[in-house]
Amino acid sequence: MLVLPHFIQILNLSTFGNMKIVEEIKSLIKEANETTDVSKLIDLNLKISGYLVYVSEETATALRAKLIAYNERKEWEANYCITSDEGITKAEKAATVKSKPQRMAELETEVTYNKIKGFVTQLNEFQQALRQKVSYLRRESENSNQQP
């Protein structure tokens, strides 16, 4: 029986997997989309920035798990080929088939990493849009104050 590598523990301990933080960020985004109060928008942007730092750390954790999974799978396959009594081509094919648990774990880490990385990208884009909204609202406010 294969024991799943320790990188699975890294992902399981990841609080990003809890999804509570994602829900909190979504509620901030919803709130930002529903208001035109510049002070509130700036406050929400600061909160999202704080979460973004945390989510970026989670991205690094997921990348680490992904790289560990890849290296452990390659090491397992190489060890199988070395210790096999079969010819190298047959041993390589057998290692690929028998390393399914490692490949599936690697796939899971890859998906998690890409999910978190995509979330960070979307948060950055939302923050850019939020800054543009604040800028626009300030200009509108200035223009309305200048009219007689």
Side-chain angles (χ1 to χ4, degrees), residues 18-148:
N18 171 325
M19 300 307 277
K20 180 180 178 188
I21 190 169
V22 174
E23 294 307 316
E24 291 173 16
I25 293 169
K26 284 180 180 179
S27 75
L28 292 174
I29 290 170
K30 182 179 179 191
E31 195 175 343
N33 283 329
E34 294 173 348
T35 187
T36 56
D37 179 3
V38 172
S39 305
K40 186 158 185 95
L41 289 169
I42 291 170
D43 182 53
L44 291 168
N45 195 29
L46 286 173
K47 287 179 182 177
I48 291 171
S49 293
Y51 279 121
L52 191 54
V53 169
Y54 171 77
V55 175
S56 294
E57 289 176 4
E58 291 294 316
T59 305
T61 299
L63 177 60
R64 180 173 179 260
K66 174 183 169 241
L67 294 173
I68 290 170
Y70 171 79
N71 286 325
E72 287 188 0
R73 177 185 58 84
K74 294 301 277 183
E75 183 179 329
W76 188 92
E77 289 174 345
N79 284 333
Y80 182 87
C81 289
I82 290 169
T83 59
S84 175
D85 293 335
E86 304 166 337
I88 191 68
T89 303
K90 190 172 184 181
E92 285 175 344
K93 290 177 182 177
T96 300
V97 171
K98 292 182 179 188
S99 67
K100 184 175 181 179
Q102 287 89 348
R103 286 184 288 112
M104 295 309 292
E106 182 182 356
L107 174 75
E108 191 63 36
T109 61
E110 178 91 28
V111 168
T112 301
Y113 169 70
N114 285 326
K115 182 177 181 181
I116 298 172
K117 185 178 171 188
F119 191 67
V120 167
T121 300
Q122 293 300 312
L123 278 178
N124 283 325
E125 289 177 8
F126 180 78
Q127 281 196 301
Q128 179 62 32
L130 199 54
R131 286 189 289 271
Q132 290 174 356
K133 182 177 180 178
V134 167
S135 178
Y136 172 79
L137 290 171
R138 283 182 174 161
R139 276 195 310 274
E140 286 293 311
S141 176
E142 289 171 4
N143 289 342
S144 68
N145 289 337
Q146 291 177 1
Q147 293 179 358

